[in-house]
Amino acid sequence: MKTLILSLVLALGLAFIPPAKAQSSTDADTQAILIVVADMETAWNTGDFKGYMAGFKNPDVVFVSGGRFQSDWQGTLDHYVRDYGASPKTRGTLHFYDMKVEILGPDSAQLIGRFHLERPQHALEGVNTRLFRKVDGHWVIALNHVSAYDVPSAN
């Protein structure tokens, strides 16, 4: 009888010990999304616009900026090369920060964050709202909304 009671006490005690915390799929997905954005920042800052665009769903990403729908993936890449690619000064230095990721489902997430584009002329600050989709196991931006405003350049 003592053995039975001791076994029950041990079983009940073990039932209340929390399991070791494993990384949840939500944590892993959040990290994967933040890595996509970090890779995009690095690509932009090295003048690799195609690498920057690798973070977006190709070909059917939706871009909204300046109150307008922008063209598709290739048109957006062409715009970046044309308007920002002439030199490091026109490209500037891009930094994403203050990012908040919300996993909406197994293949969808939302990111809201800020960005700063430092350039000698026409420095920008703003907010990105991004809908991420998991496509073939990789997170990509399916919808990108930018709200930006001019700020004084630090240079």
Side-chain angles (χ1 to χ4, degrees):
M1 183 69 168
K2 283 184 178 179
T3 306
L4 178 61
I5 293 172
L6 184 59
S7 295
L8 285 172
V9 169
L10 282 173
L12 288 172
L14 291 174
F16 292 104
I17 297 173
K21 185 174 180 183
Q23 185 180 28
S24 72
S25 62
T26 301
D27 293 340
D29 288 331
T30 297
Q31 275 306 111
I33 287 167
L34 293 174
I35 288 169
V36 169
V37 176
D39 289 347
M40 291 171 62
E41 181 178 305
T42 298
W44 180 278
N45 291 333
T46 59
D48 178 9
F49 293 110
K50 196 166 186 176
Y52 177 80
M53 290 297 295
F56 295 96
K57 192 169 185 245
N58 186 355
D60 55 351
V61 63
V62 176
F63 283 91
V64 181
S65 180
R68 294 187 209 122
F69 288 97
Q70 304 295 321
S71 54
D72 60 3
W73 189 95
Q74 185 62 51
T76 302
L77 173 60
D78 295 344
H79 154 69
Y80 286 144
V81 170
R82 180 185 64 245
D83 295 349
Y84 295 91
S87 72
K89 285 184 177 182
T90 58
R91 179 183 71 240
T93 302
L94 180 62
H95 179 58
F96 295 112
Y97 64 100
D98 204 14
M99 293 180 284
K100 295 168 185 65
V101 175
E102 179 182 1
I103 303 299
L104 304 173
D107 69 344
S108 60
Q110 171 181 277
L111 179 145
I112 298 174
R114 297 180 183 278
F115 72 92
H116 180 84
L117 179 61
E118 184 58 46
R119 301 188 292 176
Q121 294 186 4
H122 197 64
L124 295 172
E125 186 86 22
V127 174
N128 279 329
T129 305
R130 294 172 161 167
L131 174 66
F132 277 80
R133 300 303 306 257
K134 192 181 256 186
V135 178
D136 298 327
H138 302 284
W139 287 101
V140 290
I141 300 165
L143 170 67
N144 189 64
H145 181 262
V146 178
S147 176
Y149 53 93
D150 293 332
V151 294
S153 177
N155 294 334

